[in-house]
Amino acid sequence: MPSVLFRPPSKALAWALYDWANSAFATVVIAGFFPVFFTQFWAQDLPDAQSTQWLGYTSSAASLILVLTAPVLGALADQLGAKKRFLLGFTLLGVLATAALYWLGAGHWQAALLLYLAGLLGFFGGNIFNDALITDVAAPAQYERASSLAYALGYLGGGVLFAVNVAMVLSPGTFGFADEGEAVRAAFLGVALWWAVFALPLALVVPESRGLGRRSLRGAAVGAFHELARTFRQIRRLPNTFLFLLAYWFYIDGVDTIMFMAVKYGLDLGFESSSLMVALLITQFVGFPAALVFGRLGARFGPKPAILVAIGVYVLVVLAATQMTRVEHFYALAATIGLVQGGIQALSRALFAGLIPAGQTAELFGFYNMVGKFAAVLGPFLVGTTAAFAGDPRFSLLPILLLFLLGAALLWRVDVAGGRRDAAAVPPPPRGPLFADQA
């Protein structure tokens, strides 16, 4: 189906398949089984509040580490011409950590959290360099379709494996497992294998971009910090790029908050956990064709109008969620979110790729991912605070409206054509051994 809507060169398809590979971790591990299995198996002797606290601390730690290191790692990758090597290194970290969960026995909650932290770092860290590689596999005119294809394959791949894993857990005997716990542990091992196998096309086909001519790792590190400082100054001289990052900070915070709080919101409303798993599957499978359609819309009308439409849909979703009373309503909202979630993520990546200078893609996508992860702090805080004061979970999502509206207002002011001209006018970073032997 993807080849009918968009016929990419082999390297673009190989790059897009990485989303198929690592989305299994996001769907099966992060959104699906780890939080429940951690509470019921590894941390079964801890009070629920304490296990939730430690799980939250681990997720926050992964985000904080990424915020502090993403721009530096991105700059270093640009210096060395090592975006793909960094990507594969983080992939290996995530694969090994996820596979190790299979052998972890009951009660070992500290080890489970350490492996989960390593898995999160592998997943989020890999995304920095996978995002940056879009400029190596597609021409600027193809950014929207290539990015949307990748997100579509991610939704389909994550959804397919998650559906199989849900079936395994609901009927473990059918698949040869002794009980639900064994089926869940096998699901973690399956994610690791899936991630590793489907990362191979990128490893074998996608070319490694050329670096900036550094002769040593030490010199490259010094050069990375020089380039990082220069990039801070440069972003301030690219007003549309800066404005887009600010807009993205607000609206992607709303997107991520809904993504990570939806199951908890459904539980607070009294819906069964099995029904919520069905809702996650609906989002995944609706997200596959919807992301492809958004790619075509972005290519035809531009990514900015399509993102604004998606933000409008999210505003309607939040308003509708406050009136939700039946699980069928939850299913309808899950399908609606699936229509726009992949599209807004894919087109945001494509739009940003067109607003940055050549030769600094990994570094600037480090900033892009840093903004996205730093944003993930505000939304959940607003939701939790509102729920505590309002006493009704239906009101807890209302502050997210402010995030979407602020993001839309700032995005409206972004001059995409002007931003692309400004980025194209920036001279490439100096090549050669400028910092190779310093420090």
Side-chain angles (χ1 to χ4, degrees):
M1 181 177 181
S3 61
V4 174
L5 296 177
F6 169 47
R7 300 182 185 276
S10 59
K11 62 181 181 179
L13 181 57
W15 171 79
L17 279 172
Y18 187 79
D19 276 46
W20 171 286
N22 78 340
S23 290
F25 181 85
T27 305
V28 178
V29 179
I30 297 177
F33 293 134
F34 187 88
V36 176
F37 201 64
F38 175 75
T39 301
Q40 299 178 353
F41 184 71
W42 289 310
Q44 57 185 313
D45 296 329
L46 291 180
D48 288 344
Q50 190 174 350
S51 66
T52 300
Q53 178 186 29
W54 280 109
L55 188 61
Y57 285 167
T58 303
S59 299
S60 296
S63 297
L64 181 60
I65 292 171
L66 183 67
V67 166
L68 295 176
T69 61
V72 176
L73 289 175
L76 185 59
D78 280 330
Q79 293 282 312
L80 295 170
K83 288 183 285 189
K84 191 171 80 169
R85 281 175 284 169
F86 273 65
L87 167 60
L88 295 177
F90 276 104
T91 298
L92 182 62
L93 173 65
V95 166
L96 293 178
T98 306
L101 292 172
Y102 173 78
W103 287 279
L104 203 59
H108 296 284
W109 62 272
Q110 299 98 328
L113 288 178
L114 287 175
L115 291 174
Y116 185 54
L117 175 64
L120 289 173
L121 292 176
F123 175 75
F124 292 132
N127 280 340
I128 297 173
F129 305 101
N130 186 49
D131 288 346
L133 281 170
I134 188 175
T135 59
D136 295 295
V137 301
Q142 292 182 313
Y143 285 166
E144 290 82 10
R145 289 190 178 185
S147 185
S148 297
L149 173 63
Y151 270 101
L153 289 176
Y155 276 104
L156 182 60
V160 166
L161 187 59
F162 187 50
V164 172
N165 294 152
V166 169
M168 287 164 46
V169 172
L170 293 179
S171 183
T174 304
F175 294 85
F177 299 116
D179 51 33
E180 294 180 0
E182 187 177 345
V184 172
R185 290 167 56 223
F188 294 137
L189 185 59
V191 168
L193 293 173
W194 181 282
W195 193 352
V197 169
F198 289 107
L200 289 176
L202 183 145
L204 298 174
V205 176
V206 174
E208 180 70 270
S209 59
R210 188 180 175 192
L212 299 179
R214 310 304 179 198
R215 289 199 302 260
S216 68
L217 179 61
R218 184 183 184 188
V222 174
F225 279 101
H226 278 266
E227 293 298 331
L228 189 60
R230 192 177 72 87
T231 300
F232 271 115
R233 297 191 298 269
Q234 185 169 283
I235 287 178
R236 295 173 60 185
R237 295 195 294 268
L238 295 171
N240 287 291
T241 305
F242 176 79
L243 191 60
F244 170 76
L245 283 173
L246 191 59
Y248 177 73
W249 181 31
F250 283 109
Y251 73 72
I252 207 64
D253 192 359
V255 172
D256 288 345
T257 301
I258 289 178
M259 188 186 310
F260 291 115
M261 299 296 291
V263 170
K264 183 65 168 65
Y265 184 72
L267 289 172
D268 288 343
L269 294 181
F271 301 146
E272 295 291 334
S273 59
S274 58
S275 299
L276 302 179
M277 293 296 170
V278 172
L280 285 177
L281 286 173
I282 291 173
T283 300
Q284 292 297 121
F285 287 110
V286 171
F288 165 61
L292 292 174
V293 171
F294 256 87
R296 295 182 69 86
L297 291 175
R300 181 171 182 179
F301 301 106
K304 175 180 165 180
I307 293 172
L308 288 171
V309 168
I311 292 175
V313 172
Y314 270 107
V315 169
L316 296 178
V317 164
V318 173
L319 293 174
T322 63
Q323 307 300 316
M324 185 164 51
T325 57
R326 299 164 51 189
V327 71
E328 290 80 8
H329 298 160
F330 197 87
Y331 292 156
L333 291 183
T336 304
I337 290 172
L339 289 174
V340 294
Q341 182 172 282
I344 197 170
Q345 293 171 316
L347 294 182
S348 296
R349 176 168 62 183
L351 178 54
F352 184 68
L355 295 175
I356 58 178
Q360 296 171 277
T361 53
E363 179 180 346
L364 285 165
F365 267 107
F367 277 95
Y368 177 81
N369 280 275
M370 179 189 73
V371 168
K373 295 312 298 175
F374 188 65
V377 176
L378 181 59
F381 174 80
L382 291 174
V383 170
T385 303
T386 304
F389 280 97
D392 187 338
R394 287 182 176 81
F395 295 115
S396 63
L397 295 181
L398 286 177
I400 302 178
L401 288 176
L402 180 62
L403 300 176
F404 283 122
L405 294 176
L406 284 172
L410 292 168
L411 181 62
W412 185 269
R413 297 178 55 196
V414 174
D415 179 2
V416 176
R420 288 172 175 169
R421 287 193 301 269
D422 292 343
V426 174
R431 307 187 68 86
L434 179 59
F435 303 113
D437 301 314
Q438 293 186 18

